[in-house]
Amino acid sequence: MSEARRRTPSSTDVARRAGVSQKTVSRVMNGEPYVSADVRERVLAAARELGYRPNTAARALNLGRFQRIGVVSLGSSLYGPSSLLVALERRARQTSYAFSVVHTFEGRPDSITSAVESLLDQGVDGIVLSEPIDEGQELRIDPDIPVLSFGRFPGLDGPRVVVTGASGFDAGRVATEHLLGLGHATVWHVAGPSEWRSTRDRARGWRHALDVAGIAAPPPIEGDWSPASGYEAGRRLAADPEVTAVFVANDEMAIGLLWAMTEAGRAVPEEVSVVGMDDIPAAAYLSPPLTTIRQDFEAIAAHGFDLLLQQIENAPGSATVDDLPAQLVLRRSTTPPRSKR
């Protein structure tokens, strides 16, 4: 292999390939303003084609920043967490910031704290907590480090903390109000694992809607987000003829519940109306198509990432709590109870 081919590409090579000045390359790589979106994309594309990697250490010294975002992600193939992670990475690639991920796993004490410490050791300008799960203790992070959390985390507060995402409370409320509005006497709930903050938020919204209507909440059934746990919950609920409406905390459990109802001879929606959450791609093609609460992970990730960058680059003096509204997607798994038709 020739010396030219072995040589590490430089910013000059990137400038020549992109048809811009070396100073413009430097501005793009340092995340400086006053560079048009077209020029920025041209420079980044040239850098990718050449395999150019800026000197991270030197850049951190010059800017006081590493130009890297650290993400703590649950090691899970579940639709919600994995979709959010992909959307975050896609948004990061549109900026000058690198993207570093550390996965955690349920049931390991201090795993989130350890993941945060690992990212800080690597050198990051901000931390993203993609799916808050309680570990039995409050999470403490240096208040000088901007943090984005997709959901509320116990003990996590401060002037550089951003909390955003689809409101689990709002989702539970909207789903339950929809079913009550159809005339159902009450709404049962299949919840996710209790240690997940989103589980508790969705259950709070469900209880709130029932409380406002003056209805005592039936005992919820806890699942583990999987279709199998939804199926087991569905078998229990199908055996009770009083059950006519169910809010399920995610679509995958709802799939299992629909099958259990079918096996038990309980027709959906004629006998039991069902609402899920997430609007996974399969939801529109079930039998019947599933009414659900949509989470637009692309919009949630982009919105949250941009809020985090504002904290990193502008350092505003107050925290941001910015829940996005729930979006009810009406399909054919809900209808008024027979007594109301």
Side-chain angles (χ1 to χ4, degrees):
M1 183 181 293
S2 69
E3 184 66 26
R5 288 183 62 117
R6 287 199 304 268
R7 182 174 64 83
T8 301
S10 67
S11 60
T12 303
D13 298 320
V14 175
R16 189 178 299 114
R17 174 67 65 91
V20 299
S21 69
Q22 191 173 357
K23 178 62 176 174
T24 298
V25 173
S26 177
R27 284 175 176 160
V28 170
M29 294 303 165
N30 290 334
E32 296 178 20
Y34 313 118
V35 179
S36 71
D38 176 65
V39 169
R40 185 182 301 277
E41 180 53 38
R42 218 162 67 227
V43 169
L44 293 175
R48 288 193 296 268
E49 290 169 9
L50 294 170
Y52 171 71
R53 296 289 182 271
N55 187 322
T56 304
R59 186 170 59 187
L61 287 173
N62 291 335
L63 297 175
R65 295 200 297 268
F66 295 95
Q67 297 296 113
R68 182 185 298 118
I69 303 297
V71 181
V72 179
S73 178
L74 185 69
S76 170
S77 60
L78 290 170
Y79 178 78
S82 60
S83 296
L84 187 61
L85 182 60
V86 169
L88 278 168
E89 185 167 7
R90 185 176 291 114
R91 179 68 187 99
R93 288 184 178 182
Q94 297 169 358
T95 72
S96 60
Y97 283 81
F99 188 80
S100 184
V101 182
V102 174
H103 292 287
T104 66
F105 299 91
E106 293 178 79
R108 288 181 51 191
D110 301 327
S111 61
I112 296 177
T113 300
S114 298
V116 170
E117 290 174 351
S118 172
L119 289 167
L120 294 176
D121 287 344
Q122 295 176 37
V124 295
D125 301 306
I127 297 287
V128 178
L129 303 173
S130 70
E131 187 63 53
I133 296 180
D134 288 353
E135 295 180 329
Q137 61 180 5
E138 293 184 347
L139 179 65
R140 301 295 184 185
I141 299 179
D142 186 330
D144 290 332
I145 299 295
V147 177
L148 166 64
S149 178
F150 289 101
R152 290 167 178 79
F153 212 106
L156 184 63
D157 53 27
R160 307 197 73 184
V161 173
V162 174
V163 179
T164 190
S167 169
F169 175 87
D170 201 33
R173 178 187 62 80
V174 168
T176 306
E177 288 178 349
H178 166 64
L179 291 165
L180 293 177
L182 292 173
H184 292 277
T186 190
V187 178
W188 294 73
H189 182 42
V190 179
S194 59
E195 65 270 20
W196 288 57
R197 297 292 297 180
S198 56
T199 290
R200 299 204 291 277
D201 288 343
R202 294 168 198 185
R204 281 194 308 109
W206 163 70
R207 289 183 187 277
H208 173 79
L210 291 175
D211 287 344
V212 169
I215 300 170
I221 299 175
E222 182 175 329
D224 62 9
W225 300 127
S226 71
S229 68
Y231 174 79
E232 291 302 322
R235 290 182 63 187
R236 291 171 57 183
L237 293 173
D240 184 349
E242 298 298 315
V243 174
T244 67
V246 186
F247 165 49
V248 188
N250 79 334
D251 288 347
E252 293 189 39
M253 290 194 298
I255 289 173
L257 182 137
L258 289 175
W259 180 238
M261 291 291 173
T262 298
E263 277 194 336
R266 300 290 304 278
V268 176
E270 291 81 6
E271 295 181 65
V272 181
S273 288
V274 179
V275 177
M277 179 163 179
D278 283 341
D279 195 23
I280 65 175
Y285 303 98
L286 299 174
S287 179
L290 182 65
T291 294
T292 186
I293 303 292
R294 173 177 295 153
Q295 294 203 76
D296 187 342
F297 293 105
E298 291 289 338
I300 292 169
H303 181 66
F305 197 92
D306 291 347
L307 290 174
L308 180 63
L309 292 192
Q310 290 175 20
Q311 290 283 343
I312 292 170
E313 297 177 356
N314 301 321
S318 60
T320 301
V321 178
D322 188 16
D323 284 337
L324 302 179
Q327 303 175 55
L328 179 67
V329 180
L330 291 172
R331 297 196 179 100
R332 296 203 299 274
S333 66
T334 59
T335 195
R338 284 177 171 171
S339 61
K340 301 290 182 179
R341 292 175 213 161

